[in-house]
Amino acid sequence: MIAFSNVSLIYPHSTKTILEDLSCEIAEGEMVLVMGETGSGKSSLLRLINGLVPHHTGGILAGDISVNGISTRSVKPGALAHLVGIVGQNPISGFVTDIVEEELAFGMEALNVPPETMRKRVEEVLDLLSLNSVRNRSISTLSGGEQQRVAIGAALVMHPRVLVLDEPTSALDPIAAEEVLSVLHRLVHDLSVTVIIAEHRLERVIQFVDRIIYIEGDGSTAIGSAEEILKNAELVPPIVRLARVLNLSEIGTSVRDVRRLTEDIRGREFLSEPTLPVERKPAINISHISISYEGHIALKTATATIGAGEIVAVMGRNGAGKSSLLHSIVGLLSPHSGNVLVNGIDPQTLQGAARRRAIGYVPQEPSDLLFKQSVEAECAQADHDNEIAPGSTFSLLNRLVPNIALSTHPHDLSEGQRLALVLSIVLSGNPEILILDEPTRGLDYRAKSLFIKALQEFASTFNRPVVIATHDVELVAELADRVLFLAEGEIVADGSTLDVLLSSPAFAPQVSKVMSPKPWLTVADVVNSLSSL
Amino acid sequence: MNRTKDIFRFKGLATFALVLTSAVSALGFIWPFLVSEKQSHPQWIFLAAVPCALFLLFISASNGELDAKSIALLAVLTALIAALRPMGTGAVGIEPMWFVLILSARVFGPSFGFLLGALSMVLSALLTGGIGPWLAYQAFAAGWIGLGVALIPRRIRAKSELISLAFYGIVAAEFFGIAMDLQFWPWTLGADSQLSYRAGAPLSTNLLHFISYHFFSSMAWDIPRAVFTSTLILVTGKPILHALRRAHTRAAFLTPVEFIERAKAPKVEL
Amino acid sequence: MKRPLHPLTLWLWAILLAIGVVAADSASVALVVVGAAAIIVWVRADGSAWNKSFALALRVGALILVIRTVVGILIGVPIPGTTLFRIPILDLPSWMPGIRIGGAVTLERLSSSIHEGIIIATLLALFGAATSLTSPHKLLRVMPYFIYEIGITLVIAASLLPQIASSLRRIRTAQKLRGIELRGIRSLALPLLEESLTRSLQLAASMDSRGYGVSRKRSRYRPIRWKSEDSLVIALTAGLSIAMMISAG
């Protein structure tokens, strides 16, 4: 279906080779995963398939890519629209209209498809993706998962043979991600659509894919089945790390496979040291707050106390009230009943420098905080604002992610670098508490582990609380001491990470799914227990 | 060597259409100075003619030169400007749309600037419900302001560029004020007040009447508009120009597209 | 009375009536037309956001009427006849020669100004009525294929507005929390601009991928059809307009 022959790619005005001599053939109905570090050529590879690279972006291309026999050299991207559907990283940026039904029809209108065919296909896709209930709604009011489905629908409506998706589950909670992945699975197995997908959160997709294309930093590629590639790769999901650490004979890609291989380990008895509850001075007091806006109840009498040095994860489906909870802690939303105290102060009364010192907030879109032209200028601004020695913010940044050039424009940084920049800016204010909203979108495993280390250091060295709202279950398993689980505005679970994650099948990390009923959340837990024997 | 498509520019027939329709709508503004005694109802004729001219212009611009990148950039900037316009209401002359228009026209070119000015007027009228024949006049005036940025030489950069643009902002603000007054002159004063236009009178008489009228009516708006626009350009111009130019670069207009036969990509010296 | 009309029908109605009103040049006819328009707006309004345009147009029309009248009183060229009242004469600076504020105000002068003001206000009311009863969204959908590019640009720009509003809110929130209190345009406008420009490039890629620009001809999904009701309305209005023109001449 898709054939790459000796494909090498480099962009004009750049010396970095994106792809070096890639040759492979993808058969019809295959699901292929493209992986690599942030900044490697994943998006470029995906865009080669429908010709966006080089016709839309410019580029110097050696070799040939052909889809169903048509070479991308000779045709513009639009000419392949009936064959290749592409869903970009940020679905809402790709929407042309604001109504779901019209969005689905747009591609067909542009290709002069007759109206009766259009009606039929729109109905088909609405049914396939369960979008019938929202068909006349404004797209900007939909949830992230629904928007993602609309974007996929807009691509599917052309009946493409190939579907290409760039990080489709990054913004979704685990349940919505499952829905999207099962739709893809159905497309592959029921309709024999070829699906190419790029993802960082490998743990979600590994079990569905047939093959993996791994792009190294220097442009060279490795292609093979999941087991082959993951055996030696650096960036691997937890179950693969588990298999490596336990020296298993095979690398399993699904929970079921690895469970079969680890039966004996689970059969053994382990001494569990009772974890003593740590005494912590309360730092954040949330008592019975209720928030509602526009007739929608965001939080209902939520109560929690977060102690100094604690790392707390706030989890729940999209729309459950996570953002509202965080915003009330930082003082943005005023609850109409109850109150919040941060180290004894009402956060709404804080302003300017006092607020920076009391609360550090890393928003969902880190670039919201950046408005200077270069990394250097941002760091200098932070030094100035917080009245610290010039260069301190930058050295913080260097410790997190080294080798960032001072003159780089902040928007040219990769996701991980941008997060590190914002984190250093926030940390340079030496805040008493640290709040982060969905920080790990778009981060690969290495960037994530650096980030985890930085946060653990902050919490333990200064004995200050950290509150993170996230969907990333693996992150929670590694990092958090405690989990607050929200559903429909109420805190339905509040306990240690171990207790909360183990009790919810959808939100359990991979290791615990494999090792259930043993109380282990991460690979490190397993290793510790084994070594204590 | 192949290149990706360039940003929208008026070419060939479209340029001719631009000149022709601009001439018609220019007449729509200045006919009081040119009309002789016996024309019947010139204001109604032009009230109908100028919207038709705008429509014709839009038809000629929709000729395939507008590709996806130009449309996307145009749409985003149009939306931003249209969103900015209502922020000025209540305060005399505080109109934030002009500095964005002028800076965008500087980066993306005068043809783009013309469409940006015209379309942002149309969009904000669509949103606020102010659709009527006067809209076409406003669209042309805003379009000419975008087009006029071509008068500033391309090679000027840095400080002198900002100063030239700020100066242009002052000129443009006054130009818009005069254009709006010209448009409304026959309507608010009619043909029989002492400051009205006199059909067939010498140019000096009509000019005097108009300037007096302009002085009384919208000078109060022109000066704050000029000051506000040029100040914004001077204060925010550098980072905004920078952001717009980055987008221009990332949009990869006229970027080389090369296909090579060799198996390994060459080490390109650039 | 509530059946949906084609978006252009009411605009044609407004234009035809406007021509009639101008040709008839009679204030009483104009006032009747305004009254009819008001009734139509009142009956057909469905509570959408743009329904307020008519009231706004009436206000602006009234304002123009007032301005015309005041201008006529103060600096109108005198029309001899029955004097109604006198305004003290104001002396103006020497560089505004030949202009005298004040003097006698005659009935003919006053009625002439009011008459013209009413005609203009009627036109505004007609266009306001058409605007208030037509969804801008539907208007964009019936754009003919020869201005498709411009039309689609407006459609996209209109869909971007809610996104821009939510981005602005988000950025304002984040900036406040970085302790930047109202540092003004630069800290708010720049992230918004950068984000919007980035989105536009992603949009362009998405449009190209979906086949935009490949085919010159385009089809319409669920086209809005021109129905018999529309033709009826236009025919009636045209008849009315012609009657008004004949009655004047």
Side-chain angles (χ1 to χ4, degrees):
Chain A
M1 173 63 49
I2 308 176
F4 288 82
S5 351
N6 303 111
V7 172
S8 303
L9 175 69
I10 189 170
Y11 286 117
H13 318 302
S14 143
T15 49
K16 177 166 145 57
T17 312
I18 308 288
L19 286 176
E20 183 73 43
D21 206 25
L22 164 65
S23 290
C24 82
E25 280 195 28
I26 301 177
E28 182 186 322
E30 250 194 286
M31 190 185 230
V32 175
L33 170 70
V34 178
M35 57 184 274
E37 292 178 17
T38 35
S40 60
K42 294 195 304 296
S43 295
S44 301
L45 192 152
L46 294 180
R47 290 164 142 208
L48 275 171
I49 299 177
N50 81 334
L52 274 182
V53 173
H55 296 284
H56 181 94
T57 61
I60 304 171
L61 184 65
D64 187 57
I65 303 122
S66 71
V67 180
N68 209 19
I70 307 174
S71 160
T72 61
R73 279 192 182 206
S74 45
V75 290
K76 280 171 37 171
L80 289 172
H82 63 287
L83 205 51
V84 180
I86 189 164
V87 178
Q89 259 183 5
N90 211 346
I92 197 165
S93 318
F95 291 136
V96 166
T97 71
D98 199 36
I99 308 279
V100 172
E101 211 176 328
E102 289 173 20
E103 187 64 32
L104 294 180
F106 172 74
M108 295 192 285
E109 280 183 345
L111 290 178
N112 200 22
V113 172
E116 313 80 45
T117 319
M118 283 202 277
R119 285 297 300 269
K120 196 164 62 80
R121 287 198 190 170
V122 167
E123 300 297 329
E124 271 172 19
V125 168
L126 286 173
D127 283 334
L128 180 69
L129 296 171
S130 331
L131 288 172
N132 227 331
S133 51
V134 298
R135 66 190 289 167
N136 282 318
R137 276 187 42 193
S138 155
I139 297 184
S140 47
T141 59
L142 297 179
S143 73
E146 287 165 331
Q147 282 176 354
Q148 189 67 262
R149 293 210 302 268
V150 174
I152 296 178
L156 281 182
V157 100
M158 306 300 308
H159 285 186
R161 303 301 315 148
V162 178
L163 191 60
V164 177
L165 302 108
D166 201 346
E167 297 199 36
T169 67
S170 61
L172 305 178
D173 61 55
I175 301 176
E178 280 297 320
E179 286 168 10
V180 168
L181 286 171
S182 63
V183 167
L184 295 177
H185 189 76
R186 198 150 62 122
L187 287 173
V188 166
H189 288 266
D190 278 349
L191 297 177
S192 197
V193 175
T194 314
V195 172
I196 321 283
I197 183 172
E199 253 300 347
H200 281 301
R201 302 251 182 103
L202 302 176
E203 63 267 11
R204 290 173 171 174
V205 291
I206 290 274
Q207 51 188 310
F208 297 111
V209 301
D210 299 313
R211 278 198 291 166
I212 296 184
I213 299 178
Y214 190 104
I215 306 180
E216 307 270 0
D218 61 352
S220 57
T221 50
I223 307 157
S225 74
E227 289 81 8
E228 291 165 19
I229 300 286
L230 293 177
K231 210 189 308 233
N232 305 314
E234 253 191 81
L235 302 170
V236 288
I239 51 172
V240 175
R241 266 191 295 134
L242 185 65
R244 283 185 190 167
V245 141
L246 296 175
N247 281 322
L248 296 179
S249 47
E250 299 165 29
I251 308 274
T253 53
S254 72
V255 167
R256 187 181 65 165
D257 294 342
V258 184
R259 264 185 87 86
R260 287 180 186 154
L261 297 166
T262 54
E263 254 185 79
D264 54 326
I265 300 183
R266 275 180 286 122
R268 296 190 230 166
E269 281 298 320
F270 295 97
L271 299 165
S272 54
E273 298 166 15
T275 41
L276 302 162
V278 182
E279 269 304 312
R280 297 188 199 271
K281 192 170 75 89
I284 305 177
N285 290 306
I286 307 167
S287 42
H288 301 100
I289 51 172
S290 298
I291 298 178
S292 61
Y293 50 88
E294 292 166 20
H296 167 73
I297 301 179
L299 282 179
K300 282 188 245 189
T301 57
T303 307
T305 310
I306 299 175
E310 228 183 341
I311 304 183
V312 177
V314 178
M315 303 182 75
R317 293 202 69 165
N318 276 334
K322 299 196 300 294
S323 291
S324 304
L325 186 62
L326 256 56
H327 285 177
S328 57
I329 297 178
V330 302
L332 273 180
L333 280 182
S334 61
H336 57 70
S337 64
N339 65 349
V340 179
L341 288 176
V342 173
N343 284 324
I345 314 172
D346 180 357
Q348 288 182 67
T349 60
L350 293 168
Q351 294 236 8
R355 166 170 267 155
R356 268 199 299 273
R357 265 194 296 280
I359 302 173
Y361 178 67
V362 176
Q364 208 170 36
E365 288 285 345
S367 41
D368 286 349
L369 291 185
L370 303 171
F371 59 91
K372 294 281 183 183
Q373 320 280 51
S374 66
V375 171
E376 183 174 15
E378 288 285 356
C379 292
Q381 178 74 40
D383 291 334
H384 168 80
D385 285 339
N386 298 315
E387 289 159 17
I388 50 182
S392 357
T393 313
F394 187 68
S395 50
L396 254 177
L397 176 60
N398 242 345
R399 276 201 3 234
L400 278 174
V401 172
N403 303 327
I404 297 185
L406 277 168
S407 57
T408 328
H409 194 289
H411 287 267
D412 287 336
L413 296 172
S414 71
E415 292 278 350
Q417 291 171 326
R418 234 197 323 266
L419 178 66
L421 176 61
V422 170
L423 194 57
S424 5
I425 291 175
V426 168
L427 287 178
S428 70
N430 209 9
E432 295 287 325
I433 70 172
L434 189 58
I435 314 279
L436 304 104
D437 198 348
E438 285 290 351
T440 57
R441 277 200 304 189
L443 290 188
D444 59 43
Y445 290 120
R446 171 175 317 134
K448 228 200 291 194
S449 52
L450 282 174
F451 171 75
I452 290 175
K453 259 207 291 278
L455 289 186
Q456 279 168 334
E457 218 180 85
F458 174 81
S460 57
T461 323
F462 298 109
N463 202 29
R464 295 181 187 161
V466 176
V467 181
I468 312 182
T470 182
H471 292 137
D472 192 343
V473 176
E474 306 296 336
L475 173 74
V476 174
E478 298 260 358
L479 181 60
D481 304 315
R482 193 165 138 213
V483 174
L484 290 173
F485 203 97
L486 288 170
E488 293 192 0
E490 294 182 42
I491 300 184
V492 298
D494 177 355
S496 72
T497 318
L498 195 62
D499 293 333
V500 177
L501 288 187
L502 284 184
S503 57
S504 158
F507 285 83
Q510 279 197 322
V511 172
S512 74
K513 285 188 205 171
V514 168
M515 291 305 190
S516 152
K518 290 277 180 258
W520 294 325
L521 292 177
T522 64
V523 178
D525 290 347
V526 178
V527 168
N528 284 341
S529 296
L530 283 180
S531 61
S532 68
L533 279 180
Chain B
M1 170 166 64
N2 269 337
R3 286 181 183 268
T4 53
K5 207 154 187 287
D6 193 10
I7 196 167
F8 170 77
R9 286 187 202 288
F10 278 105
K11 282 198 183 101
L13 195 61
T15 318
F16 175 71
L18 176 65
V19 169
L20 189 66
T21 52
S22 292
V24 168
S25 62
L27 280 178
F29 282 101
I30 62 175
W31 63 265
F33 298 109
L34 304 174
V35 73
S36 65
E37 285 288 350
K38 282 297 157 208
Q39 315 285 74
S40 60
H41 304 300
Q43 69 249 46
W44 304 111
I45 296 177
F46 281 108
L47 197 65
V50 176
C52 293
L54 186 66
F55 193 64
L56 279 170
L57 182 66
F58 281 159
I59 294 178
S60 73
S62 305
N63 59 359
E65 277 301 309
L66 273 174
D67 71 326
K69 285 183 208 166
S70 300
I71 288 186
L73 280 167
L74 195 54
V76 161
L77 289 169
T78 305
L80 281 173
I81 292 180
L84 277 176
R85 254 192 115 202
M87 286 188 198
T89 50
V92 166
I94 307 296
E95 292 171 22
M97 74 171 275
W98 301 112
F99 83 104
V100 179
L101 174 59
I102 294 174
L103 293 172
S104 309
R106 173 68 177 166
V107 171
F108 293 109
S111 303
F112 188 91
F114 182 90
L115 279 187
L116 183 58
L119 285 177
S120 28
M121 280 297 185
V122 171
L123 184 64
S124 67
L126 269 171
L127 295 175
T128 58
I131 309 178
W134 53 87
L135 173 61
Y137 285 85
Q138 287 179 319
F140 268 105
W144 289 328
I145 291 180
L147 192 61
V149 178
L151 294 170
I152 305 177
R154 295 242 67 152
R155 275 182 301 113
I156 302 188
R157 281 297 144 104
K159 262 218 144 68
S160 22
E161 183 179 37
L162 273 184
I163 296 179
S164 331
L165 286 169
F167 183 69
Y168 183 80
I170 298 177
V171 170
E174 185 57 37
F175 171 80
F176 191 72
I178 292 180
M180 288 302 99
D181 267 344
L182 270 176
Q183 175 194 356
F184 285 119
W185 189 28
W187 300 98
T188 48
L189 289 190
D192 56 357
S193 81
Q194 298 173 50
L195 285 180
S196 299
Y197 70 99
R198 294 252 178 286
L203 190 61
S204 50
T205 323
N206 278 327
L207 264 179
L208 191 60
H209 286 187
F210 175 71
I211 292 175
S212 311
Y213 166 66
H214 184 54
F215 180 75
F216 280 120
S217 68
S218 75
M219 275 294 205
W221 272 265
D222 288 352
I223 297 182
R225 186 191 301 125
V227 168
F228 189 64
T229 303
S230 52
T231 312
L232 276 176
I233 290 181
L234 283 173
V235 167
T236 64
K238 185 154 160 283
I240 290 189
L241 279 175
H242 196 84
L244 290 170
R245 288 194 163 118
R246 263 172 42 93
H248 187 103
T249 311
R250 273 164 45 214
F253 292 113
L254 290 179
T255 308
V257 174
E258 259 185 81
F259 296 100
I260 333 183
E261 291 310 325
R262 286 142 65 181
K264 294 242 185 264
K267 289 285 179 285
V268 183
E269 257 86 70
L270 285 162
Chain C
M1 271 305 252
K2 281 287 193 166
R3 288 241 278 215
L5 289 175
H6 192 277
L8 288 178
T9 310
L10 281 170
W11 281 97
L12 281 174
W13 166 87
I15 293 174
L16 285 172
L17 276 184
I19 296 176
V21 163
V22 169
D25 205 23
S26 142
S28 33
V29 168
L31 284 173
V32 167
V33 167
V34 173
I39 293 176
I40 292 178
V41 169
W42 185 64
V43 167
R44 289 192 63 95
D46 57 359
S48 332
W50 45 86
N51 286 147
K52 306 194 202 82
S53 305
F54 185 68
L56 182 65
L58 280 181
R59 278 199 284 271
V60 174
L63 184 66
I64 301 241
L65 179 59
V66 166
I67 291 179
R68 273 292 202 127
T69 314
V70 167
V71 162
I73 292 177
L74 287 180
I75 57 174
V77 167
I79 300 177
T82 33
T83 309
L84 287 176
F85 52 91
R86 280 188 157 276
I87 297 187
I89 295 179
L90 256 178
D91 274 318
L92 284 172
S94 56
W95 58 269
M96 292 194 220
I99 297 166
R100 189 201 78 236
I101 293 188
V105 179
T106 58
L107 179 66
E108 285 73 15
R109 171 76 257 164
L110 201 55
S111 60
S112 163
S113 299
I114 292 181
H115 174 261
E116 290 182 2
I118 288 182
I119 303 275
I120 297 177
T122 307
L123 288 185
L124 283 172
L126 280 172
F127 284 112
T131 315
S132 69
L133 293 176
T134 315
S135 151
H137 189 72
K138 288 237 177 67
L139 207 55
L140 286 174
R141 272 182 67 189
V142 295
M143 286 221 191
Y145 72 92
F146 42 81
I147 52 170
Y148 181 74
E149 276 86 347
I150 297 287
I152 199 76
T153 310
L154 286 171
V155 167
I156 298 175
S159 343
L160 285 172
L161 285 163
Q163 284 185 35
I164 291 179
S166 58
S167 296
L168 195 59
R169 271 198 297 273
R170 221 189 53 228
I171 293 173
R172 182 90 188 82
T173 306
Q175 300 275 343
K176 234 169 102 172
L177 294 170
R178 190 175 166 181
I180 301 167
E181 303 281 341
L182 278 182
R183 202 168 288 190
I185 280 210
R186 270 210 257 205
S187 55
L188 263 185
L190 276 177
L192 181 64
L193 184 64
E194 296 265 6
E195 184 183 313
S196 306
L197 291 171
T198 310
R199 280 204 174 155
S200 75
L201 298 178
Q202 289 168 347
L203 175 63
S206 155
M207 284 169 71
D208 268 342
S209 309
R210 285 155 83 181
Y212 175 82
V214 161
S215 157
R216 261 317 276 173
K217 281 198 91 320
R218 286 168 191 94
S219 48
R220 271 189 221 277
Y221 178 71
R222 293 238 184 139
I224 303 180
R225 300 217 173 282
W226 183 268
K227 299 205 272 279
S228 48
E229 287 107 40
D230 303 301
S231 309
L232 188 64
V233 168
I234 298 303
L236 283 177
T237 318
L240 201 58
S241 190
I242 294 175
M244 284 196 266
M245 282 195 263
I246 294 177
S247 78

